[in-house]
Amino acid sequence: QIQNFASGAEDDFQISAKEGDIVFTDDADVDGGGKISYILEISKPLAGYSPFVPSVKVFNNDCFTNITDSSGNDDPDVITVASIGEIMQPPPSDGAENMDYRPVTVNVDVKQLKGSSIYSDQGDGTTGILNLCVRADIGEVVVTGGTSSLSFVKMVFTITLNMEQDFSNANFEVTIEEKEKETDEEELDVDYGLEGCLCNAATRECVEPNSDASKVKSNSAFAICAYTDSENVVIKSIRSLSITKGDIGYTVVNDSGEATNSLFTSLSNMGSNREVVVTRMLSIFYG
C-alpha cells in the first residue's frame, strides 16, 4: 500500500505553467494599462477532496519581497492579480487527464510604474525594464510559526516596455521555476541501534549520500526509513518525526504515532525491523 502511495505521489499536488501559454494584451478599461494572461496546470485532487484553488501573488523579482514605491512603501496597485478563473471546460487540447487548468490574469498599470521597485527607466524617457515575479501556491500546511504551501510555481518576468507603444507589443523573457533541490543533512540521535535515512519506499534501501536521489525536490514526495540490524528488535511505531530547517519545522508524525496530515503522509504497517514514512517536501523550506 505504501509503495502505491509513493509511486503515485509525483503526480499529486503539482502546479506548473508553460511559457507558450503567456499572452500580453492591452487593458481596454485602463489608459495605458496591460494584462498578462496565462494558464496554471494543477494536479486533480485525490478522491474525496475538493479541487485546488491556487493563491497567486506578485512580488519583486526575488519572488519574496513586496513591491514598493519610491518612498519604500508597499505599492500593491501597480501590479494586481485580476482574476483566477474556474477550471477550464473543456481543458486545453494538449492537456493531461490528471490535471486541471485555470486561467490567471495579472493587471499592469503602466502609468504608475515610475519609482516602483520593479521598474527601471533606461534613460531615454520612452523605454523601461519591468522585473517582477508572479508566484502561485496550492495547499496549506501548518508549520512552526506559520503556514507553508505544498507546491508552488514561480514565474519571473523581464519585460521591455516602450511607452510609445501598446503593452501588447512589449518584449519579454520569463523563467518558470517549479522545483528546487536541496541535499539532505541527517542528524540521528537514537537508541537500540536504530538508524534513519532517506530511502526507496519500495525496497526500503537507503539512497546513496550525494546522489541525485538524496537531493529532495520541493513539491515532491520522499521516503524516510527507520531501521535496525538487530534481530531482537522490531519497530512497533514511529513517534514525533519532524522535518526542520533553521527555525522552520513541520511535524510529519505526531506523538501518538499518527500522520499529522494523511492527505500526503503515509506510514508502513510497523512490526518489522525496517519501516518507512512517505511524505512531501513543503515549499517553505525553499523560499
Side-chain angles (χ1 to χ4, degrees), residues 58-109:
V58 183
F59 299 95
N60 288 311
N61 65 349
D62 61 4
C63 298
F64 178 73
T65 56
N66 291 335
I67 298 169
T68 56
D69 59 21
S70 56
S71 300
N73 300 314
D74 285 353
D75 190 8
D77 298 326
V78 64
I79 306 283
T80 57
V81 179
S83 65
I84 303 169
E86 298 295 326
I87 296 172
M88 296 173 64
Q89 297 293 351
S93 58
D94 60 346
E97 291 185 0
N98 62 334
M99 294 289 177
D100 288 328
Y101 296 86
R102 291 182 183 268
V104 175
T105 301
V106 176
N107 285 354
V108 181
D109 191 339

Side-chain angles (χ1 to χ4, degrees), residues 8 17 25 28 45 49 54 69 75 101 125 127 150 160 167 169 175 200 217 233 259 264-265 267 272 279-280 286:
T25 56
Y49 290 88
D69 59 21
D75 190 8
Y101 296 86
T127 306
L150 276 170
T160 303
F167 184 79
N169 294 319
T175 301
N200 182 303
K217 297 177 182 179
V233 176
F264 56 85
T265 299
L267 285 73
S272 73
T279 189
R280 300 192 73 83
Y286 296 83

Side-chain angles (χ1 to χ4, degrees), residues 210-224:
N210 302 318
S211 66
D212 285 344
S214 72
K215 298 178 175 67
V216 181
K217 297 177 182 179
S218 60
N219 307 2
S220 296
F222 66 100
I224 302 170

Side-chain angles (χ1 to χ4, degrees), residues 129-263:
I129 304 297
L130 187 60
N131 290 289
L132 69 136
C133 172
V134 183
R135 172 171 170 150
D137 293 76
I138 57 171
E140 185 175 88
V141 181
V142 176
V143 297
T144 304
T147 61
S148 171
S149 65
L150 276 170
S151 301
F152 68 86
V153 59
K154 301 174 184 176
M155 303 177 68
V156 181
F157 289 90
T158 300
I159 304 167
T160 303
L161 297 176
N162 187 327
M163 297 305 181
E164 297 179 345
Q165 296 181 354
D166 292 336
F167 184 79
S168 57
N169 294 319
N171 294 317
F172 74 93
E173 296 180 358
V174 61
T175 301
I176 299 175
E177 177 185 301
E178 300 169 18
K179 295 180 182 291
E180 298 172 285
K181 291 183 179 181
E182 182 163 302
T183 303
D184 174 65
E185 297 181 2
E186 298 178 23
E187 293 185 7
L188 303 177
D189 183 11
V190 294
D191 298 320
Y192 306 110
L194 187 65
E195 298 186 67
C197 65
L198 287 175
C199 64
N200 182 303
T203 64
R204 304 191 185 184
E205 294 296 323
C206 296
V207 302
E208 289 294 327
N210 302 318
S211 66
D212 285 344
S214 72
K215 298 178 175 67
V216 181
K217 297 177 182 179
S218 60
N219 307 2
S220 296
F222 66 100
I224 302 170
C225 283
Y227 65 93
T228 176
D229 293 328
S230 172
E231 296 181 358
N232 300 318
V233 176
V234 296
I235 300 170
K236 298 295 292 184
S237 65
I238 296 174
R239 304 286 180 94
S240 190
L241 173 63
S242 299
I243 299 172
T244 61
K245 179 182 179 182
D247 294 332
I248 302 170
Y250 167 61
T251 300
V252 179
V253 180
N254 62 25
D255 292 341
S256 299
E258 299 172 342
T260 303
N261 194 319
S262 59
L263 176 63

Side-chain angles (χ1 to χ4, degrees), residues 37 133 268:
S37 301
C133 172
S268 53

